[in-house]
Amino acid sequence: MSQISINHDEVDIVIGALQLDLKSFMEEWRPVFSLFHLIIVKDPDLKGELEIPAGFNFDLYTKSDIDGVVGSSSNAISFSGYSCRYFGYLMSRKKYIISIDDDCIPARDSAGNFVDAVSQHITNLSTPATPFFFNTLYDPFCKGADFVRGYPFSLRSGVDCGLSCGLWLNLADLDAPTQALKPELRNTRYVDAVLTVPARTMMPVSGINISFNRELVGPALLPAFRLAKEGNLRWETVEDIWTGMCVKVVCDQLRLGVKSGLPYVWRKERGDAIESLKKEWEGVKLMEDVVPFFQSLRLSTSAATAEDCLSEIAAVVKEQLAPANPVFARAAETMVEWVKLWKRVQTQ
Amino acid sequence: MAGATVKPTPLLKDELDIVIPTIRNLDFLEMWRPFFEQYHLIIVQDGDPSKIIKVPEGFDYELYNRNDINRILGPKASCISFKDSACRCFGYMVSKKKYIYTIDDDCFVAKDPSGKDINALEQHIKNLLCPSTPHFFNTLYDPYREGADFVRGYPFSLREGVPTAVSHGLWLNIPDYDAPTQLVKPRERNTRYVDAVLTIPKGTIFPMCGMNLAFNRDLIGPAMYFGLMGDGQPIGRYDDMWAGWCTKVICDHLGLGVKTGLPYIWHSKASNPFVNLKKEYKGIFWQEEIIPFFQSVNLSKECTTVQHCYIELAKQVKDKLSQVDPYFTKLADAMVTWIEAWDELNPSGDDSAKPANGTAK
């Protein structure tokens, strides 16, 4: 892990609060979170007062704030459940945003050291990515590593990193059928690597532990894809998977990088995979269409900003996927509304 | 879905050959004895054929020097490099086994973070025997490894994976750097043990290192030509790179997978960076053109075998890269010679011409 000096003023940590009691979550993260400005967004469907310990510098947004800002768009865009964090992204004015689910605590690496996930995310975002050719020694900008023999020199300066996807020890981000089939499966493998996901390669981005460069890709992190029976457990959503693919398409188009790997967080038990399975496997089934769609998506050369890209993606979704399922039609509409909202809020 | 039980890895001792190019001696085999002793070795002796290479007692092997290569291939021997470890591909051609493991004679057994010796061959076999996932990236790396699986969002229709053609291992200690990097960082050592195997996505090419490499000879063997390097050639140290680029393009076309990551070996010798620079120098310029070439290669749907793909690739090399340097005309011709020699030594009706899934992508 290279030591980058972080300008704390450039970072917002956005926390989507899906439970009222944030005390243990925030105490665990105190050594790290207390150094930064936090944006806490309360799930608008959650009733009651949030319990937030003292000693943090934060702004809190609740349903009334969301309604106030979003106004007439509130028909198309829902911020409930995991989507509440997107309101935090909308409100932020910082360069880097880091977001971690409220059921995750800091992990420890193989040597037993506390993993500063925020610092690693910032390192990932502020060092170049290398999407145009694969480096077999993973991140070449990491201390102790470099580009290997055979790596073209013209590609060695890399490109800006737009998105950094972290991983999870203990409870990995598996879907409900997989976790139900293997209830004892825990991720204990600490893979000491960050790598750039190659250009035009699609991947499932998990929203559990991510960060991004808001200035470069901000609008692409959007709350568009809601399942009909979306719930409050990750097993009951795929909104982040959809968003992640939009971000990857945007990054590929704008020649930005997406990294995956470190940092790890420790994800705790919440919910029952089998209970989630009793709802339809809606998300799982929809992926069969979503993945090939994004893999074959090509944007026009004139799409030069994240907003342009999203508008084009929305149009193609409406044309190609919407006829098959209303969830896609709603996603396309929401994307269009979101881009308008983003532009409006950002210029205020 | 990935299996939950841990089955012992089969030895495959009658299905796998270990190919070792050497010019000095094979003392390094002593350290590998517990892991290699049960396997058949194919030793390709480069350099002076009159030198006697001592093979440690107890190993079952066949050895080929330059005289043997000339005798067996006749005029086609021109495609096999001399005074370069690229000659190792002759070993792939004469092997009759399904799997090949190739390793350099300055590579030793590494230790994992717990201090245990790494059985590199066993890990390569595991990699080759279980599927790859080139069509969609799994963020938890190899989903078939114990303790891992496919993540949420990974389509079920893609979870069977595709057959694995290549397993590319890595190196602790001396990293595989090019000469300029070696000159700037002579002391850098790779001490990071990254506990992952991952599939290189379809459409992505990579720098393949031949130091610690295994492949399914039936699926991809003819693509593993290590090019024209060394004596009489304008370039060296690009043999494995060339094979890797050709192999990956063909694997992508035929729906086969390439994995990289574990196992690690311990690379003990840093070759002389000034010597390396002289060998690589042209390659450093040429790779700027070669990479875009491979990234945009399109093989026709009619190419359903590795040999077909390779011949078509050779044509495209001649058409598009000859303008970079006349060397590529020679290389394209040598690629064709290689396939002719391969087919002669491995007549059809034999496994090596078997297409992977039957349909080219």
Side-chain angles (χ1 to χ4, degrees):
Chain A
M1 210 193 299
S2 42
Q3 291 306 110
I4 300 262
S5 68
I6 302 159
N7 180 354
H8 291 192
D9 292 335
E10 289 189 302
V11 180
D12 265 336
I13 300 176
V14 173
I15 299 160
L18 274 72
Q19 53 185 343
L20 289 176
D21 183 359
L22 292 180
K23 295 198 302 293
S24 67
F25 167 72
M26 293 187 66
E27 284 307 332
E28 294 277 1
W29 285 104
R30 186 182 284 277
V32 174
F33 283 10
S34 56
L35 305 174
F36 296 90
H37 177 251
L38 314 179
I39 292 179
I40 302 177
V41 186
K42 182 176 166 227
D43 174 2
D45 291 346
L46 193 58
K47 305 276 183 275
E49 289 296 312
L50 285 182
E51 294 171 62
I52 301 169
F56 292 94
N57 169 17
F58 68 93
D59 281 310
L60 172 65
Y61 297 100
T62 62
K63 182 172 180 350
S64 55
D65 300 303
I66 295 173
D67 290 343
V69 168
V70 175
S72 61
S73 307
S74 58
N75 288 332
I77 305 175
S78 170
F79 289 95
S80 39
Y82 281 103
S83 293
C84 64
R85 56 167 59 177
Y86 295 102
F87 187 77
Y89 303 165
L90 191 63
M91 293 291 106
S92 171
R93 289 292 173 273
K94 301 289 174 64
K95 181 173 180 180
Y96 301 118
I97 290 186
I98 292 152
S99 202
I100 296 174
D101 277 5
D102 64 2
D103 57 356
C104 296
I105 60 174
R108 292 199 174 261
D109 67 18
S110 332
N113 301 317
F114 176 99
V115 173
D116 182 349
V118 173
S119 165
Q120 181 67 54
H121 271 302
I122 295 169
T123 298
N124 293 350
L125 291 174
S126 52
T127 52
T130 51
F132 302 117
F133 197 65
F134 190 85
N135 193 45
T136 48
L137 275 187
Y138 312 107
D139 180 5
F141 298 101
C142 197
K143 190 163 188 281
D146 211 308
F147 290 97
V148 295
R149 175 173 57 96
Y151 204 105
F153 276 78
S154 64
L155 295 179
R156 294 192 188 197
S157 26
V159 296
D160 286 333
C161 181
L163 181 74
S164 160
C165 308
L167 295 172
W168 342 269
L169 289 173
N170 192 41
L171 216 53
D173 192 12
L174 309 177
D175 54 42
T178 308
Q179 192 75 70
L181 194 75
K182 297 172 161 186
E184 303 307 316
L185 182 64
R186 295 292 177 270
N187 187 22
T188 55
R189 185 174 287 124
Y190 186 92
V191 178
D192 187 8
V194 179
L195 59 99
T196 298
V197 181
R200 289 177 316 278
T201 294
M202 287 296 127
M203 60 186 284
V205 170
S206 164
I208 293 172
N209 169 20
I210 58 162
S211 67
F212 59 98
N213 183 321
R214 198 189 61 85
E215 289 172 5
L216 294 177
V217 298
L221 281 290
L222 39 60
F225 197 67
R226 265 203 113 76
L227 299 179
K229 293 181 185 169
E230 179 158 308
N232 272 5
L233 297 173
R234 281 289 183 194
W235 288 314
E236 296 162 2
T237 73
V238 279
E239 53 86 16
D240 48 351
I241 312 293
W242 175 275
T243 296
M245 291 210 234
C246 291
V247 178
K248 185 63 166 60
V249 167
V250 167
C251 285
D252 287 349
Q253 174 78 3
L254 302 183
R255 296 179 72 81
L256 302 171
V258 171
K259 294 185 183 176
S260 184
L262 302 181
Y264 281 88
V265 295
W266 180 273
R267 187 161 173 251
K268 299 191 291 184
E269 293 282 347
R270 188 160 84 183
D272 178 346
I274 296 181
E275 282 304 312
S276 292
L277 264 187
K278 288 177 185 170
K279 300 189 171 186
E280 274 180 61
W281 295 27
E282 194 190 356
V284 164
K285 289 183 209 159
L286 287 171
M287 282 304 117
E288 297 298 330
D289 295 322
V290 169
V291 172
F293 169 77
F294 277 98
Q295 281 174 329
S296 59
L297 192 53
R298 296 286 178 269
L299 302 181
S300 71
T301 44
S302 56
T305 63
E307 291 91 331
D308 290 345
C309 293
L310 291 169
S311 302
E312 269 192 37
I313 296 172
V316 186
V317 169
K318 187 169 175 194
E319 189 196 334
Q320 293 182 9
L321 287 179
N325 191 313
V327 102
F328 295 119
R330 271 197 307 276
E333 271 171 38
T334 311
M335 288 172 75
V336 170
E337 285 306 309
W338 171 264
V339 172
K340 285 190 204 152
L341 177 63
W342 182 275
K343 284 179 177 166
R344 172 164 66 80
V345 171
Q346 296 299 305
T347 52
Q348 276 166 4
Chain B
M1 241 169 271
T5 51
V6 180
K7 294 183 270 249
T9 309
L11 276 179
L12 302 183
K13 65 182 177 64
D14 297 321
E15 295 179 75
L16 185 146
D17 275 338
I18 302 178
V19 172
I20 306 165
T22 188
I23 201 158
R24 328 161 240 259
N25 62 62
L26 294 166
D27 295 347
F28 86 116
L29 280 177
E30 273 311 329
M31 201 194 186
W32 286 102
R33 190 182 284 278
F35 303 121
F36 286 4
E37 204 166 25
Q38 304 195 59
Y39 295 89
H40 180 71
L41 314 182
I42 296 181
I43 297 160
V44 184
Q45 178 185 342
D46 195 16
D48 181 3
S50 66
K51 179 169 179 202
I52 306 293
I53 300 281
K54 266 196 72 208
V55 184
E57 283 290 322
F59 283 98
D60 168 40
Y61 70 96
E62 54 196 283
L63 185 146
Y64 299 93
N65 61 27
R66 192 72 207 182
N67 294 339
D68 299 314
I69 294 172
N70 290 338
R71 174 177 49 83
I72 292 169
L73 293 185
K76 297 198 177 73
S78 59
C79 75
I80 304 295
S81 304
F82 184 57
K83 293 269 189 66
D84 194 286
S85 63
C87 65
R88 75 176 80 208
C89 62
F90 178 77
Y92 310 157
M93 194 192 273
V94 296
S95 166
K96 296 285 168 258
K97 304 285 175 59
K98 184 169 179 183
Y99 302 99
I100 298 275
Y101 175 46
T102 186
I103 183 172
D104 278 12
D105 62 9
D106 58 354
C107 293
F108 292 82
V109 177
K111 290 194 189 290
D112 71 18
S114 73
K116 184 164 162 256
D117 280 352
I118 298 172
N119 182 348
L121 188 47
E122 183 184 61
Q123 182 64 53
H124 275 299
I125 291 171
K126 276 190 192 155
N127 293 349
L128 290 173
L129 291 182
C130 79
S132 297
T133 51
H135 297 299
F136 196 56
F137 187 80
N138 192 46
T139 47
L140 273 187
Y141 313 108
D142 183 350
Y144 304 100
R145 273 186 93 192
E146 326 130 31
D149 213 307
F150 291 96
V151 295
R152 178 173 55 98
Y154 206 104
F156 273 76
S157 61
L158 294 178
R159 294 191 188 198
E160 258 183 50
V162 301
T164 302
V166 180
S167 166
H168 176 261
L170 297 174
W171 350 271
L172 290 171
N173 194 40
I174 308 287
D176 189 24
Y177 288 163
D178 52 46
T181 311
Q182 273 182 288
L183 285 164
V184 169
K185 292 177 160 192
R187 289 184 179 281
E188 186 149 275
R189 298 291 176 264
N190 186 22
T191 55
R192 182 174 288 113
Y193 184 92
V194 177
D195 190 3
V197 180
L198 62 107
T199 299
I200 301 183
K202 182 177 176 181
T204 299
I205 51 173
F206 76 114
M208 184 178 86
C209 173
M211 261 197 266
N212 172 22
L213 179 72
F215 58 94
N216 182 323
R217 194 178 157 279
D218 283 1
L219 288 182
I220 201 62
M224 282 287 183
Y225 173 48
F226 272 41
L228 287 174
M229 305 279 144
D231 210 47
Q233 307 299 342
I235 191 175
R237 284 171 53 89
Y238 272 85
D239 50 336
D240 42 5
M241 296 296 135
W242 185 260
W245 298 324
C246 294
T247 292
K248 185 56 164 64
V249 158
I250 294 174
C251 282
D252 285 352
H253 181 77
L254 296 178
L256 301 172
V258 173
K259 293 183 180 177
T260 186
L262 301 184
Y264 282 89
I265 47 88
W266 180 269
H267 185 210
S268 65
K269 242 195 176 86
S271 37
N272 184 306
F274 295 98
V275 170
N276 288 346
L277 187 57
K278 280 199 191 143
K279 291 181 184 175
E280 288 174 4
Y281 158 80
K282 290 206 164 143
I284 286 174
F285 291 90
W286 290 349
Q287 71 193 7
E288 296 296 333
E289 318 262 1
I290 296 171
I291 302 296
F293 164 76
F294 278 104
Q295 283 173 332
S296 58
V297 156
N298 234 310
L299 298 174
S300 73
K301 282 204 175 67
E302 284 78 48
C303 295
T304 53
T305 66
V306 178
Q307 286 92 326
H308 266 142
C309 291
Y310 203 75
I311 297 287
E312 181 155 315
L313 197 51
K315 284 199 197 103
Q316 295 192 30
V317 167
K318 194 176 241 186
D319 287 341
K320 304 206 178 125
L321 290 178
S322 296
Q323 64 212 32
V324 175
D325 194 278
Y327 165 77
F328 290 99
T329 308
K330 250 189 3 173
L331 180 58
D333 289 340
M335 288 168 74
V336 175
T337 306
W338 160 265
I339 294 294
E340 288 169 357
W342 182 285
D343 283 345
E344 228 174 76
L345 262 58
N346 301 284
S348 60
D350 192 10
D351 289 334
S352 55
K354 239 196 279 194
N357 295 316
T359 33
K361 306 267 182 286

